Amino acid sequence: MCLEEEVEILGVRDIIFVDLPDGSVAEHLDEAADAIRKALLDKRPRLLLTISPLEISPDHRATFAAVHEVLTSLRGGSELDE
């Protein structure tokens, strides 16, 4: 299954690609977290699906870490409430 088919099945309307080096997301966590925060504030999704922290890929685990960092910082009243 290709990306186009997957996003159609999920009903995704917008994809944002962050230009980070493949295999090196862990070394760019701040950039990844900044991009995730910006996307959340711009799009204000009602539902956020994210990758599992148990993924085998180091990039996938690092992406989860960035998502977790952003969501933790937004807990308890946040910019998303504005």
Side-chain angles (χ1 to χ4, degrees), residues 5 7-8 12 19-20 35 38 42 50-51 53 56 62 70 75-76 78:
E5 293 171 318
V7 297
E8 184 176 332
V12 174
D19 191 24
L20 297 178
K38 181 179 180 331
D42 288 350
T50 190
I51 198 144
I56 210 164
V70 170
R75 185 177 297 158
S78 70

Side-chain angles (χ1 to χ4, degrees), residues 4-64:
E4 291 81 13
E5 293 171 318
E6 293 166 348
V7 297
E8 184 176 332
I9 289 169
L10 291 172
V12 174
R13 291 179 294 203
D14 193 13
I15 298 177
I16 300 167
F17 290 96
V18 180
D19 191 24
L20 297 178
D22 189 30
S24 302
V25 175
E27 287 127 36
H28 299 275
L29 277 182
D30 289 340
E31 291 171 68
D34 288 345
I36 292 164
R37 179 183 307 278
K38 181 179 180 331
L40 288 174
L41 293 173
D42 288 350
K43 303 298 180 184
R44 299 188 179 266
R46 293 183 354 194
L47 174 67
L48 175 64
L49 302 175
T50 190
I51 198 144
S52 168
L54 304 177
E55 283 284 339
I56 210 164
S57 162
D59 275 353
H60 291 187
R61 290 191 309 270
T63 300
F64 176 83

